[in-house]
Amino acid sequence: MTISLPRLRQVALVAADLEAACARIEDELGLHDPFRDPGVAEFGLANAVYEIGDTFLEVVSPAVEGTTAGRYLDRRGGDAGYMALFQVADTERTRRRAAAMGLRIVWQADLPDISGTHLHPQDVHGAIVSFDTPAVPASWRWAGPRWIDGTPVDAHPTPRLAGLVVRVVNVEAATLAWGGLLDASLDEHRIRFEPVA
């Protein structure tokens, strides 16, 4: 199966109560058995990552005081969308594009099986955007050990995450930032920006 890149691979939500959010996801979406990534402790978080075919829905929650996620929860007044992770063909090329656009990198990692980069949400508007390139295209480290070896995409048919709606103050700026970064038509990749009411 050929994968068209870039593509939305993972969406992260932020919740004050991780277990309550997980219970709701499991009840309403029928998802189960999330991967709990100890690596997010680096950001002061706990999480749960659910498989939706070969795409993923993550919930993060502050585990300590003073986290970016905790401040975001306070600003939003409750649980909200938080992050969009895109699989791209070439992280270095996308990093150069981000630099040329003046987009600030707030975190990056280059591991043997994946490279990833998080951008400042004020620069891209609406969410933290991450772009990641796994060494094996079907793999995805952030979803747990069984995804590091490149589980075949064909083993994980529908459903998949099909799109994302991002509510922003400045739709035009968000469209330019996300589309320019990903070198993609956002309509084609089913990301829609809506003005905040």
Side-chain angles (χ1 to χ4, degrees), residues 4 184-191:
S4 177
S185 161
L186 295 184
D187 288 340
E188 175 185 334
H189 291 278
R190 300 193 62 192
I191 300 163

Side-chain angles (χ1 to χ4, degrees), residues 27 70 122 130 143 165 186 189 193 196:
D27 182 54
Q122 288 180 350
S130 180
V165 175
L186 295 184
H189 291 278
F193 296 100
V196 175

Side-chain angles (χ1 to χ4, degrees), residues 77-159:
D79 298 356
Y82 187 62
M83 188 172 184
L85 293 83
F86 293 89
Q87 182 174 345
V88 298
D90 186 332
T91 293
E92 283 306 316
R93 184 172 58 230
T94 309
R95 284 178 182 160
R96 288 192 299 274
R97 187 178 303 118
M101 295 174 65
L103 305 176
R104 293 171 286 173
I105 293 173
V106 296
W107 177 87
Q108 72 180 47
D110 294 297
L111 305 170
D113 61 311
I114 197 166
S115 58
T117 306
H118 297 181
L119 297 176
H120 199 294
Q122 288 180 350
D123 295 348
V124 292
H125 308 279
I128 296 172
V129 171
S130 180
F131 52 88
D132 306 74
T133 306
V136 176
S139 69
W140 196 250
R141 166 185 279 270
W142 320 128
R146 80 182 215 93
W147 286 92
I148 291 176
D149 66 356
T151 302
V153 172
D154 291 344
H156 303 279
T158 58

